[in-house]
Amino acid sequence: MTRPVLGLVTLAALGLAAVGCAPGESDTVLRVALWAGGHELEIERQVADRYEALNPGVRVVLESAPNGYEERLLTSIAAGRPPDVYLMDSPDIPTFVERGLALDLAPYVEALGWRPDRVFGQVANAFRRGASMFALPKDFTPMVLYANRGVLAAAGVEDLLPASPSTDEPAGGWTWTDFRRAAEAVVADTDGDGREDVFGFDFPRNLYQWVPFVWSAGGDILAPGGDGAAGYLDGPQALEAYRFLTSLAEDGLTPGAQFVQQGDPAREARFASGGQAFLLSGHWTLPVFRDLVETGDLDLAIVPIPHHPSRAVATSVLYASGWAVPPNARHLRRAIDLAGFLASPEAQRIRARSGLAIPSRLDVAAEIAAADGSGVEAAFIALVEGARMTWGARVRDFSRIEALAVEIMDRRLIRGESLASSASDVARRIDAEFAR
């Protein structure tokens, strides 16, 4: 059965009283917590309107908190005033699951029409613990490299790009060496003022950006169990990744490291206007460039993150979100039904209009890719294979690790410290956090 919305009659027929609504229930208000803003929130309103149309007597209120989302959500659940459904980000999974703040939805997925074999496997597994399912996947993205072909062509190095990941052509080499050659070639002073105004890349300061480079060197940042950093965050492969990335900044291939938590605020505009060849980001950046691609003002390619010369391919990182239900939701039965709809194919098709992420449903993602004449969507989907979910989906309070890890390359670029010593110090401090 693949019905996205379960009404009272359907639920009763399935014998799932735990999901149905009480006789005579009407004018029910369901609250949904999420972090969307602007156009994304407008799209979610369209999804909510559709649910209301299919369920007369139910009103869906969207409660968006773009800032301080996790803290507000934890407080509301603990205070006994939880939303009926909330959006769970992959780095928040351990916090909410381990504290018992997310209902196990596994007993209801069949009635909701949700099937794991119709969802990208890594995404579904992020929300699963054994046989339990604590959220129904909404959407996700891998980290990829955006490449401005116009910049590369002007420097005569467009042929260094690998074949599109969506084609059947051999991938060929796309190593750190190839990437650096391309980045070096594009650096230029086009206005003759004695300062470069075209760069190869922008410095990836934050862990969510640079962890694929560690993985693509064959290393990791944590032990396999996710309970220790020493020997990994400061291991030989990780150190090679740090050296490679900091050398890009030290050798003038980036516009300068941006030592603010938000990173380089001008990077997207610089990339789109021809001032930068490569941009490391997720699908959420694509809407910024979509109009330029359609008008032909930006010749965009989506390519894999480069890998260490000793490796055959790169390993990227995935970030996902899913719809969860707090166990103490006021309208628990209706909340489960709403979560099922929010993860349904119909909802995902509406939501795909925002272009911010890849739908978690394989069929919906394939539809979006087939309708995209640029091939960009197909390239994104092709890069999902071999990617892995962020450590944050398994390690509780991962944000504390991210906050410490940002020091490793900062200390090199700001104070000239040895990468080995800074990485060792940060690994030791992270292990102290684990020991608490």
Side-chain angles (χ1 to χ4, degrees):
M1 174 181 175
T2 58
R3 187 164 182 255
V5 183
L6 297 178
L8 301 181
V9 175
T10 304
L11 290 167
L14 287 170
L16 292 177
V19 183
C21 289
E25 184 176 357
S26 63
D27 298 321
T28 302
V29 176
L30 298 177
R31 297 165 48 228
V32 178
L34 68 171
W35 57 79
H39 181 58
E40 184 183 5
L41 188 58
E42 293 175 8
I43 294 289
E44 291 301 334
R45 184 65 256 170
Q46 294 175 28
V47 175
D49 288 345
R50 179 58 178 159
Y51 184 80
E52 291 177 350
L54 293 166
N55 294 269
V58 175
R59 185 162 63 93
V60 178
V61 176
L62 302 181
E63 299 179 342
S64 182
N67 299 312
Y69 176 77
E70 181 184 2
E71 294 78 7
R72 294 186 187 189
L73 185 55
L74 287 169
T75 299
S76 68
I77 297 175
R81 298 187 301 274
D84 294 282
V85 178
Y86 64 90
L87 189 57
M88 183 190 291
D89 199 9
S90 47
D92 296 333
I93 297 171
T95 296
F96 285 87
V97 171
E98 292 173 20
R99 294 182 181 179
L101 304 180
L103 184 72
D104 179 10
L105 297 173
Y108 313 108
V109 293
E110 184 176 353
L112 293 169
W114 188 87
R115 288 176 48 179
D117 61 342
R118 296 182 179 177
V119 176
F120 285 90
Q122 306 103 304
V123 179
N125 288 338
F127 300 100
R128 186 183 283 126
R129 298 293 187 272
S132 296
M133 192 76 189
F134 291 101
L136 301 181
K138 171 182 175 276
D139 50 26
F140 73 104
T141 182
M143 292 293 286
V144 303
L145 272 185
Y146 289 74
N148 187 323
R149 284 198 192 97
V151 173
L152 294 162
V157 290
E158 187 181 8
D159 61 340
L160 289 177
L161 287 179
S164 171
S166 61
T167 70
D168 293 329
E169 298 178 36
W174 181 230
T175 67
W176 291 356
T177 303
D178 301 317
F179 174 75
R180 182 174 174 111
R181 282 178 58 201
E184 285 177 336
V186 304
V187 175
D189 170 16
T190 61
D191 58 11
D193 67 353
R195 295 179 299 178
E196 284 80 11
D197 47 42
V198 179
F199 299 92
F201 196 38
D202 62 283
F203 182 67
R205 179 173 183 259
N206 297 300
L207 186 150
Y208 81 91
Q209 298 171 303
W210 55 251
V211 68
F213 286 88
V214 176
W215 290 345
S216 297
D220 210 333
I221 59 171
L222 296 178
D227 56 356
Y232 295 88
L233 189 74
D234 57 349
Q237 295 94 341
L239 289 172
E240 281 203 72
Y242 308 147
R243 292 188 191 102
F244 172 71
L245 294 172
T246 53
S247 72
L248 299 177
E250 291 170 331
D251 296 342
L253 308 189
T254 76
Q258 303 292 317
F259 297 106
V260 292
Q261 194 63 37
Q262 293 77 17
D264 181 351
R267 69 195 202 107
E268 292 169 358
R270 187 189 307 114
F271 174 84
S273 63
Q276 186 170 313
F278 297 104
L279 181 76
L280 178 66
S281 193
H283 200 287
W284 61 77
T285 300
L286 192 56
V288 176
F289 303 135
R290 181 64 77 181
D291 289 346
L292 294 172
V293 171
E294 291 177 355
T295 59
D297 293 314
L298 174 61
D299 189 0
L300 180 69
I302 301 299
V303 298
I305 291 170
H307 54 85
H308 188 276
S310 67
R311 313 290 294 181
V313 294
T315 299
S316 188
V317 60
L318 297 177
Y319 296 97
S321 61
W323 299 105
V325 175
N328 59 338
R330 181 181 178 188
H331 305 287
L332 189 61
R333 294 169 290 179
R334 275 290 191 189
I336 296 169
D337 187 58
L338 175 57
F341 177 74
L342 293 174
S344 71
E346 182 172 6
Q348 294 198 15
R349 289 187 182 98
I350 296 172
R351 192 175 292 119
R353 298 169 191 167
S354 73
L356 290 170
I358 301 172
S360 64
R361 290 266 312 202
L362 291 159
D363 52 353
V364 179
E367 291 170 12
I368 302 303
D372 174 35
S374 71
V376 167
E377 296 290 351
F380 259 99
I381 292 173
L383 291 174
V384 174
E385 185 177 358
R388 54 182 281 195
M389 194 59 63
T390 169
W391 269 112
R394 293 286 166 182
V395 177
R396 184 166 163 177
D397 297 327
F398 189 69
S399 60
R400 293 188 297 177
I401 294 174
E402 292 180 303
L404 289 171
V406 76
E407 293 184 20
I408 295 172
M409 290 188 286
D410 277 11
R411 286 161 60 172
R412 167 70 181 188
L413 294 174
I414 296 173
R415 302 201 293 262
E417 288 188 31
S418 158
L419 287 167
S421 63
S422 63
S424 178
D425 175 58
V426 171
R428 177 187 56 77
R429 289 158 60 199
I430 287 174
D431 284 350
E433 290 282 338
F434 282 126
R436 287 186 179 182

